[in-house]
């Protein structure tokens, strides 16, 4: 039983890594707002799932935040972490007029201007799973 479980874990990790590699080539310019929202929610959850598989489940809230910053993914040739995806792509609109620019790093502003949603999505936090006990469960679905 243990060998079968290890095989399944390795297989899921391999599939996840292949999918993550394909993201480096994606072009998001033609997506609608709803398609971008679904895309970024899935990207965030995949990024965190990969980090959880590699590093294990965080035991403290501080470790969750550290893991969010360590969990990186290449999307369209841009290396992003889960923290910036959540806070600068999903939670803030891409238009600078809605928020103050103080305290933002240059790479965060770039990611926000390239990938940010047109409108803020205040309920997006209910779809994001960062590995904490209160996060929603994430399932792996296959089209095969």
């Amino acid at each position: 039983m243990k060998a079968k479980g290890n095989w399944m874990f390795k297989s899921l990790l391999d599939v996840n890594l292949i999918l993550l590699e394909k993201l480096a080539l994606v072009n998001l310019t033609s997506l609608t707002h709803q398609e971008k929202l679904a895309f970024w929610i899935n990207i965030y959850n995949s990024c965190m799932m990969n980090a959880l598989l590699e590093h294990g489940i965080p035991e403290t809230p501080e470790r969750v935040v550290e893991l969010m910053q360590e969990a990186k993914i290449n999307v369209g040739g841009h290396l992003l972490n889960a923290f910036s995806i959540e806070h600068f792509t999903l939670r803030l609109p891409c238009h600078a007029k809605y928020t103050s620019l103080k305290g933002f790093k240059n790479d965060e502003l770039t990611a926000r201007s390239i990938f940010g949603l047109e409108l803020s999505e205040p309920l997006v936090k209910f779809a994001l799973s960062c590995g904490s006990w209160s996060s929603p469960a994430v399932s792996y679905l296959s089209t095969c």
Side-chain angles (χ1 to χ4, degrees):
M1 182 79 166
K2 190 172 185 179
K4 184 179 180 183
N6 287 339
W7 176 83
M8 288 180 68
F9 175 79
K10 173 103 172 92
S11 177
L12 286 175
L13 187 57
D14 290 342
V15 168
N16 193 38
L17 290 175
I18 290 168
L19 294 174
L20 292 175
E21 288 173 5
K22 289 182 179 184
L23 287 172
L25 307 174
V26 76
N27 181 354
L28 302 174
T29 56
S30 65
L31 297 181
T32 66
H33 174 78
Q34 291 299 317
E35 290 169 335
K36 283 182 184 178
L37 179 61
F39 175 83
W40 284 112
I41 288 170
N42 286 320
I43 293 303
Y44 173 90
N45 287 335
S46 292
C47 185
M48 286 304 299
M49 184 183 301
N50 190 51
L52 294 169
L53 289 172
E54 287 182 8
H55 302 287
I57 297 173
E59 300 206 8
T60 65
E62 293 80 13
R63 183 65 186 131
V64 171
V65 174
E66 289 172 5
L67 195 59
M68 288 173 67
Q69 293 171 345
E70 292 171 11
K72 295 187 179 171
I73 189 167
N74 187 335
V75 178
H78 299 273
L79 192 61
L80 305 171
N81 65 33
F83 186 86
S84 64
I85 292 170
E86 178 179 349
H87 294 284
F88 300 104
T89 302
L90 286 167
R91 290 191 179 213
L92 292 177
C94 64
H95 303 294
K97 68 182 180 181
Y98 292 114
T99 58
S100 169
L101 299 179
K102 292 180 181 178
F104 288 126
K105 295 178 185 172
N106 205 21
D107 56 339
E108 293 165 343
L109 289 174
T110 302
R112 183 171 157 221
S113 66
I114 294 171
F115 299 120
L117 299 176
E118 293 293 319
L119 304 168
S120 179
E121 292 287 343
L123 299 178
V124 76
K125 65 182 177 183
F126 296 108
L128 302 179
S129 181
C130 67
S132 67
W133 291 106
S134 60
S135 288
V138 176
S139 299
Y140 173 77
L141 303 176
S142 174
T143 58
C144 300

